[in-house]
Amino acid sequence: MSKTIVLKLGGSVITEKQNPGVIHTTRLQAIAETIAHHRDLPLIIVHGAGSCGHPEAHQYRIPDGVGRENAAGIGETHRAVAGLNSTVVSILRDAGIDAVGVHPLCGSFAEEGRLISFETRQLAMMADLGIVPVLHGDVVMDRKRGGCIISGDQLVLRIAEGVRAERVGLATDVAGVLSEGEVVRMMTRSTADAVDLGDSEKMDVTGGMRGKVQELLALADTGIMSSIFHIERLGDFLAGDDHGGTEIVMEQL
Amino acid sequence: MSKTIVLKLGGSVITEKQNPGVIHTTRLQAIAETIAHHRDLPLIIVHGAGSCGHPEAHQYRIPDGVGRENAAGIGETHRAVAGLNSTVVSILRDAGIDAVGVHPLCGSFAEEGRLISFETRQLAMMADLGIVPVLHGDVVMDRKRGGCIISGDQLVLRIAEGVRAERVGLATDVAGVLSEGEVVRMMTRSTADAVDLGDSEKMDVTGGMRGKVQELLALADTGIMSSIFHIERLGDFLAGDDHGGTEIVMEQL
């Protein structure tokens, strides 16, 4: 297993949900400063598309499938999310991080909305050399549907498995997985079912928190633990300190 | 076999060799107008890096291999060639072509300077839907060397094989393969060895014309013919008319 950390910056953390296409520049600069303090960590970043790309994906009905009549939506949607990525990468580079934008559309292929071809060895090599690849939710060509949306969350899971990450961090705009107003500090497969996730459903519009936790539990089964925490606790997460959020870990025997 | 055409725009066609980083914008606009006249053809474009990226690749000694000490050269070199790609894509889109930039660094992986992981199904799908993917010579992470340069020529061969292209066109700044001042109109494996390529060596600095012809002959063996022609004859090539250049074809039995 490598020492690589896969960090997801939630779309709602870096863009304004109410104003499509508006990027939280100040917050990104703070994030970049925090990451720069931990420059020696092998790191792979994935960010959500947030409100960027949604208007284009909606206008061209990408989720309904892509044919010749709406194929222009691939380029339009990709340009919107790649533009967000370009801003994120620039802000990271300005903070002294050797960030390089990596677009899923370029080299991967999907079927029915799931990646069936996705190389990760180049990402592991970059992280080993001190480069920070920065990926993002993107449109990807799809064997059955023509094109589809691949979320940042799907990318995080594929990358974590592919590079055998040491740990995964999901930085969000809430403190962690919430149940009855409190952060659930630790979840394992046996405790997860008993948790009422009603309070957390609002923090994720694609698939819901229940589905996300199930995927992270499957990742934990393979020995890769993950953390869900508030973006303001990013420094604590990177340092390996208590971040006040939720840890999703393998069942202790 | 698909009807897809793989078109290589030589680096010397789109950039000024004498002035690193200077792009032939006017010529690119003319190229875009010509391609726009043949909008219905499934097309994949690859362009060379020309003089873009060479200063960075040289400064960081990328061809000698990449370690932590010169890893910053990956991002710097990539940004230079991706910037050229961005200009090419913008000019094509301004002419009404649904061009989308595709960066080899994002999804591929190499070993000893050769691609060992390179997906092409997404490119075939794009071309089928009327999207024109536009790739470029790029830095790529390399299992043995850390990083390496993948030329536009290597990409052309891999894409042509991967998508089973109908034909390949190499647009250059000379009329074709030259021998004793004349264009060699047709080459097959049995006639190629007899051709004196002395006049053509100047048109290619990476590997030479002899190596390029050998690779195109190997492609012809698989049933994919290729043409080398002057960029001003691009319209004729796309129309399937006589372009005055060289055809590299399978041995006729």
Side-chain angles (χ1 to χ4, degrees):
Chain A
M1 187 169 298
S2 70
K3 293 282 174 197
T4 304
I5 295 175
V6 179
L7 172 66
K8 163 89 188 291
L9 300 174
S12 59
V13 165
I14 62 171
T15 66
E16 294 186 11
K17 211 166 256 182
Q18 307 309 324
N19 300 303
V22 178
I23 301 170
H24 277 311
T25 309
T26 318
R27 185 179 263 174
L28 269 169
Q29 285 163 340
I31 292 170
E33 291 300 329
T34 303
I35 294 172
H37 283 135
H38 300 272
R39 205 172 302 183
D40 290 341
L41 291 174
L43 185 66
I44 298 172
I45 295 176
V46 178
H47 63 79
S51 61
C52 293
H54 279 212
E56 294 80 4
H58 179 75
Q59 181 193 341
Y60 287 95
R61 307 184 321 281
I62 302 292
D64 298 339
V66 178
R68 291 189 73 89
E69 70 289 354
N70 66 338
I74 296 285
E76 294 293 342
T77 306
H78 176 66
R79 284 169 81 82
V81 294
L84 169 61
N85 179 257
S86 175
T87 300
V88 173
V89 167
S90 290
I91 291 173
L92 290 168
R93 291 184 75 87
D94 286 347
I97 298 154
D98 188 8
V100 172
V102 171
H103 313 299
L105 173 65
C106 294
S108 32
F109 199 48
E111 184 169 322
E112 299 283 11
R114 304 295 300 176
L115 291 166
I116 56 171
S117 172
F118 184 67
E119 184 59 69
T120 59
R121 286 174 292 178
Q122 84 285 21
L123 306 177
M125 175 74 78
M126 287 182 199
D128 282 349
L129 293 176
I131 299 166
V132 178
V134 184
L135 296 91
H136 56 91
D138 200 358
V139 283
V140 167
M141 305 312 290
D142 185 297
R143 176 148 61 178
K144 292 282 175 60
R145 301 181 188 169
C148 68
I149 306 283
I150 298 292
S151 71
D153 286 335
Q154 185 179 155
L155 292 170
V156 164
L157 294 167
R158 288 296 296 264
I159 294 166
E161 291 165 355
V163 309
R164 294 299 304 149
E166 186 177 76
R167 53 200 180 104
V168 169
L170 281 69
T172 72
D173 54 3
V174 292
V177 175
L178 300 177
S179 181
E180 296 174 12
E182 299 282 326
V183 172
V184 182
R185 296 305 307 272
M186 187 169 290
M187 295 178 88
T188 64
R189 200 168 270 291
S190 64
T191 65
D193 287 344
V195 175
D196 174 7
L197 294 178
D199 293 344
S200 290
E201 292 299 336
K202 72 177 175 68
M203 68 174 276
D204 185 29
V205 291
T206 55
M209 180 51 81
R210 176 69 67 187
K212 186 178 292 197
V213 167
Q214 286 302 324
E215 293 187 313
L216 294 174
L217 284 168
L219 195 64
D221 287 342
T222 75
I224 301 171
M225 65 170 287
S226 52
S227 307
I228 302 176
F229 55 88
H230 195 282
I231 184 64
E232 290 180 1
R233 305 298 295 271
L234 175 58
D236 292 324
F237 166 75
L238 291 174
D241 294 338
D242 178 17
H243 49 68
T246 304
E247 307 267 26
I248 298 175
V249 299
M250 191 188 279
E251 202 72 58
Q252 299 300 313
L253 296 177
Chain B
M1 187 170 294
S2 70
K3 294 283 173 194
T4 304
I5 295 175
V6 178
L7 173 65
K8 163 91 188 291
L9 300 174
S12 57
V13 164
I14 62 171
T15 66
E16 294 186 12
K17 211 165 257 182
Q18 307 309 327
N19 301 304
V22 178
I23 300 170
H24 277 312
T25 309
T26 318
R27 185 181 263 175
L28 270 168
Q29 285 164 340
I31 291 170
E33 291 300 330
T34 302
I35 294 172
H37 282 136
H38 299 273
R39 204 170 304 180
D40 290 341
L41 292 174
L43 184 67
I44 298 172
I45 295 177
V46 178
H47 62 80
S51 62
C52 293
H54 279 212
E56 293 81 3
H58 179 74
Q59 181 194 339
Y60 288 94
R61 305 184 323 280
I62 302 293
D64 298 340
V66 178
R68 292 189 74 90
E69 70 289 355
N70 66 337
I74 296 286
E76 293 294 341
T77 307
H78 176 67
R79 283 168 81 85
V81 294
L84 169 62
N85 181 257
S86 174
T87 300
V88 173
V89 167
S90 290
I91 291 173
L92 290 167
R93 290 184 75 88
D94 286 347
I97 298 156
D98 187 8
V100 172
V102 171
H103 312 299
L105 174 64
C106 294
S108 31
F109 198 50
E111 185 170 319
E112 300 282 12
R114 305 295 299 176
L115 290 166
I116 57 170
S117 171
F118 183 67
E119 184 59 69
T120 58
R121 286 174 291 178
Q122 83 285 24
L123 307 177
M125 175 74 80
M126 288 183 198
D128 283 348
L129 292 176
I131 299 166
V132 178
V134 184
L135 297 92
H136 56 90
D138 201 358
V139 283
V140 167
M141 305 313 289
D142 185 298
R143 176 146 63 176
K144 294 283 176 60
R145 299 182 190 169
C148 67
I149 305 283
I150 298 291
S151 71
D153 287 334
Q154 185 179 157
L155 292 169
V156 164
L157 294 167
R158 288 296 297 262
I159 294 167
E161 291 165 357
V163 308
R164 295 297 306 147
E166 186 177 74
R167 54 201 180 101
V168 169
L170 280 70
T172 71
D173 55 2
V174 291
V177 175
L178 301 178
S179 181
E180 297 175 9
E182 299 283 326
V183 172
V184 181
R185 296 305 307 270
M186 186 169 289
M187 295 177 89
T188 65
R189 200 167 270 290
S190 65
T191 64
D193 287 345
V195 175
D196 174 7
L197 294 179
D199 294 343
S200 290
E201 293 298 338
K202 70 178 174 69
M203 69 173 275
D204 185 31
V205 290
T206 56
M209 180 51 80
R210 176 68 68 186
K212 185 179 293 195
V213 167
Q214 287 301 325
E215 293 187 314
L216 294 174
L217 284 167
L219 195 64
D221 287 342
T222 75
I224 301 172
M225 63 170 290
S226 53
S227 307
I228 301 175
F229 54 88
H230 195 282
I231 185 63
E232 289 181 0
R233 305 297 295 271
L234 175 59
D236 293 324
F237 166 75
L238 290 174
D241 295 337
D242 177 17
H243 48 70
T246 304
E247 307 268 27
I248 298 174
V249 299
M250 191 190 276
E251 201 73 57
Q252 300 300 311
L253 298 175

